[in-house]
Amino acid sequence: MLGTPGIARAQQLAARVLGDIGRQRKAETAFAVSVRDRAQLNRLTGRGLCHGTGGLVATGRRIAADALTSIPLTPLLNLHRQAPAAPDEPPGFLDGTAGATLTAVGVATCWDACLLLC
């Protein structure tokens, strides 16, 4: 995804702090476009938080919660649920089953602060 979701979230947060609605809309649009781009989605490397569908869902939840217009999360959740777990997926937080499972829980958590999403 070349960092677009994370950069979009950072831009969205900055825009909210500055009260810059135009910047916020651009950030949210960048996120929405990136998650509809099959070429970008195909670059995800698994279900983990770092470079996988888990991180995309976690970022999407936070962006959607603060968005000026609705951003549907169902396609992202379905993508995450359908992503196959690697047979050698480690148990860790960023690249492993712990992060993927945390994402599947369906709620924003205080771990989002560790990921700089809030």
Side-chain angles (χ1 to χ4, degrees):
M1 305 269 327
L2 304 175
T4 303
I7 293 168
R9 178 58 176 163
Q11 288 291 323
Q12 183 193 42
L13 287 171
R16 288 172 47 82
V17 168
L18 296 172
D20 187 339
I21 292 173
R23 178 187 238 182
Q24 184 173 347
R25 287 191 192 284
K26 286 179 186 177
E28 293 165 6
T29 298
F31 176 80
V33 169
S34 74
V35 299
R36 288 192 307 260
D37 184 337
R38 182 50 54 188
Q40 288 192 56
L41 292 174
N42 288 339
R43 297 187 74 171
L44 296 172
T45 61
R47 297 173 350 110
L49 286 172
C50 194
H51 295 101
T53 57
L56 185 59
V57 170
T59 304
R61 278 194 183 112
R62 287 297 183 164
I63 286 179
D66 293 334
L68 296 171
T69 58
S70 177
I71 296 177
L73 296 178
T74 302
L76 300 181
L77 294 168
N78 289 338
L79 178 70
H80 181 64
R81 288 183 188 120
Q82 294 168 3
D88 58 348
E89 191 170 70
F93 178 63
L94 287 179
D95 290 320
T97 54
T101 302
L102 181 66
T103 301
V105 169
V107 296
T109 70
C110 59
W111 281 106
D112 292 349
C114 169
L115 301 169
L116 303 177
L117 294 174
C118 56

